[in-house]
Amino acid sequence: MSMMLMIHPDKCTGCRNCELACSMEHEGNFRPKASRVHVYTWEREGFSVPMMCQQCKDAACVTVCMPKAMHRNPENGQVELDADKCIGCKMCVQACPFGCASWDFLGSQILKCDTCDGAPSCAAICPTHALEWVEDTVSAQARKRSFAAKLKNAFAEV
């Protein structure tokens, strides 16, 4: 069974522990700008949302990547980045509708969630379980679509 990161924005407190865990996992230090997950907070509305690669079914980042560094792994279905093939053109950064592929100026590299090779540190550290590593089932997909609709509505109201 394949797995997916499930976001529960109603549980997110905006503590940003996920950003710290991610940067420590990948960079070896606490540098939230190098995190593959970013927490967005709407102060007026009073809610926060952790965002990372949404593993889009028709991923724009994969479509625009000419050297095929950004690709879908046929074994697990995840959108992955092969850093050795990446030429740093940043087309994936421009193409991602969620802003989940980013350029790290310090490291001169594309940053994109890799689910920590199946053991996401962001989900493990989240004190409220706003991020969960769950089986990719029909019901999980339905919850993810529901979250996406709520997020779309939040942006429409702004």
Side-chain angles (χ1 to χ4, degrees):
M1 174 72 54
S2 64
M3 302 291 284
M4 64 184 272
L5 271 167
M6 178 64 70
I7 302 169
H8 301 281
D10 54 321
K11 295 180 181 180
C12 182
T13 63
C15 70
R16 299 188 181 300
N17 284 346
C18 54
E19 292 179 347
L20 295 174
C22 180
S23 64
M24 180 56 80
E25 176 77 23
H26 291 91
E27 304 302 317
N29 58 36
F30 294 121
R31 192 164 65 92
K33 292 285 185 193
S35 176
R36 279 75 172 160
V37 57
H38 296 283
V39 177
Y40 296 97
T41 300
W42 285 263
E43 296 290 336
R44 189 172 27 151
E45 292 80 3
F47 75 97
S48 298
V49 178
M51 290 292 293
M52 74 287 295
C53 179
Q54 297 296 298
Q55 298 295 331
C56 301
K57 187 176 179 180
D58 186 22
C61 60
V62 171
T63 303
V64 301
C65 185
M66 298 320 297
K68 304 300 179 205
M70 198 71 75
H71 63 281
R72 187 168 304 278
N73 182 325
E75 292 177 21
N76 62 19
Q78 299 283 312
V79 174
E80 297 179 352
L81 172 66
D82 182 343
D84 293 331
K85 290 182 181 178
C86 180
I87 60 174
C89 68
K90 305 177 198 81
M91 290 299 291
C92 57
V93 173
Q94 294 178 40
C96 179
F98 297 100
C100 294
S102 60
W103 178 254
D104 177 27
F105 288 97
L106 192 60
S108 296
Q109 62 180 337
I110 295 294
L111 302 176
K112 184 220 161 290
C113 178
D114 62 2
T115 66
C116 298
D117 296 322
S121 59
C122 58
I125 199 78
C126 183
T128 61
H129 306 288
L131 293 170
E132 288 186 300
W133 186 236
V134 299
E135 287 187 6
D136 188 359
T137 62
V138 172
S139 63
Q141 286 291 334
R143 285 185 292 166
K144 191 171 181 178
R145 278 193 297 278
S146 173
F147 161 67
K150 288 178 186 177
L151 189 62
K152 180 180 176 184
N153 289 339
F155 281 115
E157 293 173 6
V158 175

